[in-house]
Amino acid sequence: MARGFEEVIRLQMRDVASPEFQKRHAAIARQGLAQHLATVEFPPRVRRIVDGRVGVGEEQVKPFGIIRYEFDNLREAAYRAKAELEDETPKRSGRLAGAWFFMVAGRQVQDVPRDATEVTIANDQPYARRLLVGKRPDGRPFNLKHVPPGYLEIAKARVAARFGNSVEVLARFIYIEGGYELKNDYRDPTVSRRRRIRPENRAGQPITYPALVLRLR
């Protein structure tokens, strides 16, 4: 659900004759929008609705009509999610925490565009996956003392709690172009000997990386 921005504009018909009335109404509406966006840390995509019609110009408003602007907060949610992931990952060297990046339409981007409808925040450090799902030789989880278990889920829960009404938040493991490939077969110590080497664990197979995927509802 998009957030709305509304400002009540009171004009008197006796002060401005039509169509100057509509022009003044439109100018005040655009000014109010600009002032509002100037206070927003992550400017969103704007959906303009004039008297119930989507996308028409402000000047087409009827006398005493309604100009409404609706925003989606996917862009803000994406930046907040990246900050949560950076906060939850370990900072012993800072390499893992600083490796989170945005992807839009399968490509890495520095900034999330306003017209994005899906954003992925990924981490291409090989051990980012191991810290989440890796196993020790005895089958115990591979957790370091300073790494919270399930840090991907922790970040997901926080973002969903804040933006879940308008943004779907998913925890995923994804393939990244140019990512690390297994040098040797991986034998899962927690399964039977016959099934220890799965096809995806053969040498030469690319590994998947942890990511949060955010989509507009």
Side-chain angles (χ1 to χ4, degrees):
M1 180 182 297
R3 293 180 298 172
F5 165 65
E6 293 183 345
E7 181 177 352
V8 177
I9 300 174
R10 293 182 174 85
L11 299 175
Q12 298 295 327
M13 286 293 289
R14 64 175 179 271
D15 296 333
V16 184
S18 184
E20 291 300 319
F21 182 89
Q22 286 92 327
K23 291 182 180 179
R24 183 173 176 184
H25 188 169
I28 294 174
R30 282 194 292 262
Q31 181 182 10
L33 174 64
Q35 291 174 344
H36 176 75
L37 292 178
T39 67
V40 177
E41 184 176 2
F42 306 110
R45 178 172 54 177
V46 180
R47 184 170 181 251
R48 184 175 61 246
I49 304 173
V50 178
D51 293 329
R53 295 171 294 168
V54 179
V56 302
E58 286 91 343
E59 288 81 0
Q60 296 187 42
V61 65
K62 298 176 182 178
F64 299 104
I66 297 176
I67 298 174
R68 176 179 172 82
Y69 298 107
E70 290 186 349
F71 311 138
D72 72 60
N73 53 6
L74 177 64
R75 192 164 183 260
E76 180 183 0
Y79 282 98
R80 300 298 182 192
K82 186 171 182 285
E84 289 287 353
L85 289 166
E86 290 170 346
D87 186 58
E88 287 300 328
T89 45
K91 299 176 178 60
R92 181 176 296 177
S93 69
R95 184 180 301 171
L96 180 61
W100 294 101
F101 59 89
F102 296 119
M103 293 178 65
V104 175
R107 295 189 176 186
Q108 184 173 346
V109 296
Q110 294 296 321
D111 189 29
V112 178
R114 295 189 188 185
D115 61 351
T117 57
E118 177 175 308
V119 180
T120 298
I121 304 103
N123 194 311
D124 60 0
Q125 292 298 307
Y127 55 91
R129 175 187 173 88
R130 189 178 183 190
L131 294 177
L132 283 170
V133 300
K135 298 288 193 305
R136 298 178 185 275
D138 60 3
R140 291 184 296 122
F142 184 84
N143 287 329
L144 298 180
K145 182 171 63 174
H146 300 294
V147 181
Y151 65 84
L152 192 68
E153 292 292 339
I154 293 173
K156 171 191 171 183
R158 290 180 178 172
V159 176
R162 181 169 181 177
F163 299 99
N165 287 338
S166 57
V167 176
E168 183 181 18
V169 187
L170 306 169
R172 291 285 186 265
F173 284 91
I174 65 171
Y175 291 103
I176 296 177
E177 185 177 356
Y180 180 82
E181 295 182 354
L182 293 174
K183 304 302 182 184
N184 302 289
D185 292 344
Y186 171 73
R187 292 173 169 80
D188 190 338
T190 64
V191 301
S192 64
R193 184 176 297 275
R194 289 182 60 189
R195 299 180 58 192
R196 280 190 177 180
I197 305 178
R198 300 177 181 177
E200 65 270 21
N201 293 334
R202 293 286 184 184
Q205 290 296 314
I207 68 169
T208 55
Y209 295 86
L212 284 185
V213 179
L214 283 67
R215 299 171 180 163
L216 277 178
R217 290 191 181 278

